[in-house]
Amino acid sequence: MKRTILLIEDNEQNLYLATFLLENNGFEVVPARSGPEGIELAGRIQPDLIILDIQLPGMDGYAVARALRQNASLTRVPIVAVTSYAMVGDRERTLEAGCNGYIEKPINPETFKSQIEKHLKARPAGGGTQP
Ligand code: MN
């Protein structure tokens, strides 16, 4: 069974590149272009992993991560933050908001897959609601 990744990203170029890389590696990708859309989709599709852009218009990625973590059906779903902020403390902020990891923009096609796989391996296969 294909593993599903929910990709919350407002930038079309980043969305295109990440989708291309993930689909080439056998993942099914569901895009969301805003935080509220991502939160709604996450509860509905129960993805195996969520990739979350931190710089989103309106509701930012930190707020989205906190909202995702308030959904009991998503507590086991890894969230990987993506941000172009290179400031010290940003990593801690994403982790405090409920993310499991952090990828810096621009996305590096050489390492992207292994960065995602690392977080999938940390949990058993299957949907977010499985024991
Ligand atoms: Mn963005």
Side-chain angles (χ1 to χ4, degrees), residues 73-116:
S73 74
L74 299 171
T75 51
R76 296 171 62 81
V77 180
I79 304 173
V80 180
V82 180
T83 177
S84 54
Y85 294 130
M87 289 165 60
V88 175
D90 275 358
R91 184 188 172 86
E92 286 68 26
R93 253 190 102 189
T94 62
L95 300 180
E96 280 164 15
C99 297
N100 302 80
Y102 172 98
I103 293 176
E104 267 187 41
K105 278 186 195 175
I107 287 169
N108 180 348
E110 303 289 319
T111 57
F112 186 59
K113 184 205 170 203
S114 63
Q115 288 173 306
I116 297 303

Side-chain angles (χ1 to χ4, degrees), residues 8-11 14 53-57 82 84 105:
I8 308 176
E9 169 66 79
D10 65 306
N11 180 283
N14 293 332
D53 180 30
I54 291 300
Q55 288 177 286
L56 293 167
V82 180
S84 54
K105 278 186 195 175

